[in-house]
């Protein structure tokens, strides 16, 4: 007959074994979910010959208090660099992700540029990004009020709602361009001082900007604000920074011709949708900019969706389908996007080759 102590020990062992089994099941489910959501995939091959170094930095903007918290802390930006390991002088290109994007949203594009002789800096916009992990390991997730505001009131064509949208668009652009200005100024200051890492190889006289969605919009806005930007690419972003007022239920557009060469990349569905609206008397800001810009070109990707201009369809096909992709082959599409981006910046930042970009892919 077992003693009470032996029975207790036996029961405790059963509990431990049961807990281990439960933990193993939970871990197995978590691993399975991760594999389903983020299956292993092969990165698109780069076409350049430069070996690429990658570094990250987190910088605190002492001129701005973080408005998404009430702690009084300064806003901090994490920036990821891709750049050639070989000594030299290379143009600088700055990338801004879309709403709920991440610092690696266009990892393959950044690798492609760096392998062809560019220093590329991708900015993680805290509280606009789905998450940001700074160099100290601190993780900041998307602000839920911002998350909701992106979807509220869109497409209503109601004048009152449109005015509310106009106000929040201006707030978004002010935050994003302040982030980009701070990062650009910090990079250029470090380059001037000849600091190590990516800063020692930057050609500060050649600067390009590109971004996806909201990041494309803020890149266009910054290209108008600064006089040191040489070329801009907007990957399917409505150019919200070109709104300069709101009257009689509609946004007023900046009448000054856009001063920097700008490439407007869209899916054919987005292009056709705004074309149809223009026939009804609605004027789309990107097309207005294009008609008045000093140097504008639009490229349309047939069968692409909004997220096909990022790496997400490769990194997480399930999430990408939930969020919006087309029927195009994801790998072929992002490879074509990367080729277009490289061709545009080669032409304007390196005076290299011809601008052989098709109007439609």
């Amino acid at each position: 007959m077992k003693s009470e102590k032996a029975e207790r020990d036996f029961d405790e062992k059963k509990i431990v074994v049961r807990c281990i089994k439960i933990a193993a099941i939970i871990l197995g489910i978590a691993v399975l979910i991760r594999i389903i959501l983020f299956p292993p995939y092969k990165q698109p091959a780069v076409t350049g010959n430069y070996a690429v170094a990658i570094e990250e930095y987190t910088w605190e903007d002492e001129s701005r208090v973080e408005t998404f918290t009430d702690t009084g802390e300064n806003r901090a930006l994490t920036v990821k660099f891709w750049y050639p390991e070989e000594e030299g002088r290379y143009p600088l290109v700055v990338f801004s992700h879309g709403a709920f994007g991440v610092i690696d949203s266009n990892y393959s594009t950044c690798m492609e540029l760096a392998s062809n002789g560019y220093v590329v800096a991708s900015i993680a916009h805290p509280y606009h990004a789905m998450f940001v992990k700074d160099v100290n390991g601190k993780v900041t997730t998307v602000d839920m009020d911002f998350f909701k505001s992106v979807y509220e009131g869109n497409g209503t064509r109601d004048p009152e709602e449109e005015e509310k949208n106009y106000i929040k668009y201006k707030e978004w652009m002010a935050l994003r361009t302040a982030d980009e200005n701070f990062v650009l100024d910090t990079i250029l200051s470090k380059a001037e001082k000849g600091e190590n890492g990516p800063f020692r190889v930057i050609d500060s006289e050649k600067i390009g900007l590109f971004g996806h969605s909201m990041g494309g919009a803020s890149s266009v806005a910054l290209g108008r604000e600064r006089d040191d930007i040489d070329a801009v690419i907007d990957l399917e972003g409505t150019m919200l920074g070109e709104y300069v007022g709101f009257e009689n239920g509609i946004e007023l557009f900046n009448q000054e011709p856009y001063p920097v060469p700008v490439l407007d990349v869209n899916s054919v569905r987005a292009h056709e949708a705004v074309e149809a609206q223009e026939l009804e008397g609605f004027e789309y800001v990107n097309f207005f900019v294009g008609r008045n810009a000093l140097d504008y070109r639009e490229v349309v990707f047939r069968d692409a969706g909004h997220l096909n201009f990022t790496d997400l369809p490769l990194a997480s096909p399930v999430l990408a389908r939930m969020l919006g992709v087309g029927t195009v082959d994801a790998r072929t599409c992002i490879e074509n996007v990367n080729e277009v981006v490289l061709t545009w910046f080669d032409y304007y930042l390196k005076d290299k080759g011809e601008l052989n970009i098709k109007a439609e892919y």
Side-chain angles (χ1 to χ4, degrees), residues 211-214 234-238 264-268 270 305-306 309:
H212 174 247
S213 194
M214 191 179 294
D234 179 4
L235 301 176
E236 197 157 271
T238 299
D264 188 13
V265 181
N266 296 301
S267 65
V268 72
H306 192 59
F309 300 105

Side-chain angles (χ1 to χ4, degrees), residues 82-204:
W82 295 255
Y83 64 99
E85 291 183 352
E86 185 178 322
E87 289 294 330
R89 301 286 284 176
Y90 307 104
L92 171 66
V93 176
V94 177
F95 174 76
S96 176
H97 62 72
F100 325 135
V102 293
I103 203 167
D104 285 329
S105 283
N106 283 66
Y107 185 98
S108 71
T109 320
C110 298
M111 279 292 296
E112 172 68 350
L113 286 170
S115 78
N116 280 278
Y118 290 87
V119 177
V120 187
S122 176
I123 304 170
H125 300 276
Y127 302 101
H128 275 200
M130 187 57 71
F131 68 89
V132 179
K133 185 177 182 180
D134 72 14
V135 295
N136 298 313
K138 177 186 174 183
V139 176
T140 302
T141 56
V142 65
D143 178 78
M144 291 313 298
D145 288 335
F146 169 72
F147 188 94
K148 294 173 187 174
S149 72
V150 171
Y151 295 104
E152 288 174 350
N154 286 339
T156 62
R157 304 294 290 274
D158 174 80
E160 190 172 316
E161 286 298 321
E162 289 298 322
E163 186 167 14
K164 290 179 183 177
N165 287 340
Y166 166 75
I167 293 169
K168 70 182 180 183
Y169 296 158
K170 299 303 287 185
E171 291 174 352
W172 294 344
M173 289 299 98
L175 178 74
R176 289 296 193 102
T177 55
D179 284 354
E180 292 183 56
N181 270 313
F182 167 70
V183 168
L184 250 175
D185 290 342
T186 301
I187 292 172
L188 295 176
S189 174
K190 290 178 177 292
E192 186 178 1
K193 295 172 185 174
E195 293 190 17
N196 288 328
F199 315 108
R200 73 178 185 276
V201 296
I202 289 173
D203 180 356
S204 300

Side-chain angles (χ1 to χ4, degrees), residues 292-312:
N292 295 279
L294 298 181
D295 189 346
Y296 168 92
R297 182 174 297 202
E298 186 195 20
V299 174
V300 173
F301 279 75
R302 186 166 291 280
D303 300 324
H306 192 59
L307 273 301
N308 284 117
F309 300 105
T310 72
D311 287 355
L312 186 62

Side-chain angles (χ1 to χ4, degrees), residues 225-265:
E225 285 183 15
R226 298 180 66 109
D227 60 7
D228 56 357
I229 306 303
D230 299 292
V232 176
I233 300 175
D234 179 4
L235 301 176
E236 197 157 271
T238 299
M239 298 177 184
L240 304 176
E242 291 296 298
Y243 296 157
V244 295
F246 191 89
E247 289 182 6
N248 301 319
I250 60 172
E251 295 91 355
L252 303 179
F253 303 156
N254 194 326
Q255 300 294 311
E256 290 294 320
Y258 193 78
V260 178
V262 58
L263 179 66
D264 188 13
V265 181

